[in-house]
Amino acid sequence: RDELLFSYKGILYPVTFCSAEVFRAMESLEARSDDIILAGYPKSGTNWLGQILSDLVAIFEKKTQNKESSMKDEELEEFPYLEIGDTGKYEGDEKNTCTNCPLSSFRFLKRMNKLPSRRVIVTHLLPENLPRSIFKSKAKILLLIRNPKDVATSFYHFSNGISTLPSYETWDDFFVAFMTKKVPWGCYFEYLSKWNKYVDDENVMTITYEELKENPVLGVKNIAAFFGIPLTEKELQSVVERSSFQSMKKNSQKTHGAFGSVFFRKGGVSDWKNLFNEDQNEKMDKAYEEHSDKITPEDMLFSYRGIL
Ligand code: A3P
């Protein structure tokens, strides 16, 4: 287990996804005011939102023709899943081919500084561990939040389904790790309380997994408006269709290789009810209430409680 993770500034990360060098190199990222930043803790739906944002950018570029490669319709089909992390291999690390991990964005630092606008940057990091230039540049940030119980449930299945993460014999073992900051990318509650400080900034928009699931048309519309991307009704429908769970699952071998089915598991709400016992439910309610200081649970737009 210890070999799979390393610690940086008190938080564990998988060694195959990133390294201390990446964190250091990241400091030199020059954010741009038109960058599109997606911040979300692992398993909160970052691949889903990554797909939506990539498509929105493709539409934006096609319209504004601000890129040499202004895209034709059929090329939109081929648009890389996560724009920044799409190259597969990179110099000096032939082993590492996890192309879709949001943090892998930062592996392509050199390339990133050269990438034309608008870039989609996806990250699982705490705000304090992001390059300062992201906040200085006033780049807009979409903050994605998901019911912590479903995050934990998804994370448990994911950890056991992917060889580069520690696996857990039982759900109870995972629950303890999740609640005590022993899972990669740190504690979700800490993540929430750190990002809570930014939710009132005008450059930050918050969206929950649950509201997007409930009304994807409205969600995509709001996201596009926030990033200043005009959409026709047809384009809106196409983004919603391409980012549906069914479409993404169908396409997952292409986008995520052998791990496709692990990334696109159930894609629903409240699967936590199949794992949590009463005591775990209470513990998580308590932890959630303690950490959601600024955003009260009522404001969170998801019902994190529910009957076991
Ligand atoms: P489940 O394990 O509950 O199914 P991330 O992308 O941050 O790793 O999050 C993964 C979770 O998002 C998984 O949840 C996955 O099924 C779900 N997901 C991925 N794509 C989705 C989509 N298009 N619509 C809804 N949920 C999606």
Side-chain angles (χ1 to χ4, degrees):
R1 171 161 306 192
D2 291 345
E3 284 159 20
L4 293 173
L5 304 177
F6 77 100
S7 175
Y8 186 77
K9 292 191 179 169
I11 295 181
L12 296 169
Y13 300 93
V15 289
T16 49
F17 286 66
C18 55
S19 65
E21 287 72 52
V22 172
F23 280 104
R24 281 192 284 273
M26 220 165 62
E27 276 308 312
S28 66
L29 174 84
E30 287 160 29
R32 303 174 192 151
S33 57
D34 66 356
D35 279 341
I36 290 178
I37 317 280
L38 170 66
Y41 186 81
K43 312 326 292 170
S44 51
T46 47
N47 284 275
W48 181 16
L49 273 289
Q51 168 71 41
I52 291 172
L53 294 173
S54 296
D55 271 4
L56 290 178
V57 166
I59 288 167
F60 178 83
E61 280 167 358
K62 195 174 149 197
K63 279 192 181 155
T64 55
Q65 311 251 310
N66 70 343
K67 204 176 170 187
E68 295 136 34
S69 61
S70 77
M71 274 171 280
K72 297 192 231 73
D73 274 345
E74 64 271 23
E75 282 169 338
L76 185 60
E77 274 309 305
E78 300 303 323
F79 194 79
Y81 178 67
L82 273 182
E83 191 187 23
I84 314 289
D86 69 324
T87 60
K89 291 192 178 144
Y90 56 99
E91 238 179 310
D93 191 359
E94 248 60 76
K95 290 190 306 258
N96 214 332
T97 53
C98 176
T99 57
N100 294 300
C101 168
L103 196 63
S104 72
S105 310
F106 294 114
R107 293 197 201 121
F108 302 98
L109 220 57
K110 277 195 207 130
R111 196 173 154 249
M112 272 179 76
N113 284 336
K114 283 192 209 138
L115 269 174
S117 296
R118 298 175 77 175
R119 303 180 300 188
V120 178
I121 300 177
V122 188
T123 177
H124 295 321
L125 299 181
L126 293 178
E128 68 208 40
N129 291 337
L130 283 173
R132 288 300 88 198
S133 69
I134 285 187
F135 296 98
K136 282 200 198 116
S137 69
K138 299 274 174 211
K140 288 190 174 173
I141 302 173
L142 180 62
L143 175 63
L144 171 65
I145 297 172
R146 187 180 189 189
N147 178 340
K149 295 176 188 175
D150 280 335
V151 167
T153 302
S154 182
F155 211 155
Y156 168 62
H157 292 294
F158 186 69
S159 303
N160 282 351
I162 197 158
S163 53
T164 49
L165 294 184
S167 54
Y168 298 85
E169 269 189 30
T170 64
W171 154 250
D172 292 352
D173 289 348
F174 178 82
F175 182 83
V176 170
F178 188 84
M179 300 303 280
T180 53
K181 210 179 165 174
K182 297 215 172 77
V183 291
W185 289 287
C187 167
Y188 186 41
F189 299 108
E190 185 181 355
Y191 184 91
L192 287 175
S193 60
K194 292 275 169 76
W195 275 105
N196 273 346
K197 300 193 176 72
Y198 294 82
V199 293
D200 290 336
D201 289 7
E202 58 176 16
N203 295 318
V204 176
M205 169 180 166
T206 306
I207 193 158
T208 66
Y209 180 100
E210 290 74 14
E211 67 175 305
L212 192 60
K213 188 82 198 167
E214 171 91 22
N215 192 342
V217 171
L218 183 64
V220 171
K221 215 175 188 171
N222 289 341
I223 293 168
F226 175 66
F227 288 110
I229 300 173
L231 283 184
T232 64
E233 200 54 40
K234 197 169 155 233
E235 287 163 342
L236 173 64
Q237 289 302 336
S238 140
V239 176
V240 169
E241 207 303 296
R242 283 164 50 83
S243 61
S244 73
F245 182 72
Q246 287 74 11
S247 307
M248 290 188 72
K249 195 176 171 71
K250 209 167 123 202
N251 211 19
S252 64
Q253 199 117 41
K254 202 167 119 197
T255 56
H256 291 70
F259 292 122
S261 59
V262 188
F263 275 93
F264 304 93
R265 194 183 61 94
K266 284 198 169 172
V269 168
S270 292
D271 194 36
W272 63 269
K273 290 177 188 170
N274 292 316
L275 286 178
F276 279 64
N277 65 31
E278 195 78 52
D279 179 54
Q280 290 164 340
N281 191 37
E282 272 170 30
K283 281 197 175 113
M284 200 169 263
D285 283 348
K286 193 161 167 274
Y288 182 70
E289 273 156 35
E290 277 169 16
H291 285 83
S292 52
D293 46 359
K294 202 162 166 189
I295 306 176
T296 63
E298 286 73 27
D299 291 338
M300 291 302 291
L301 301 168
F302 58 70
S303 165
Y304 75 101
R305 285 179 183 278
I307 298 151
L308 272 174

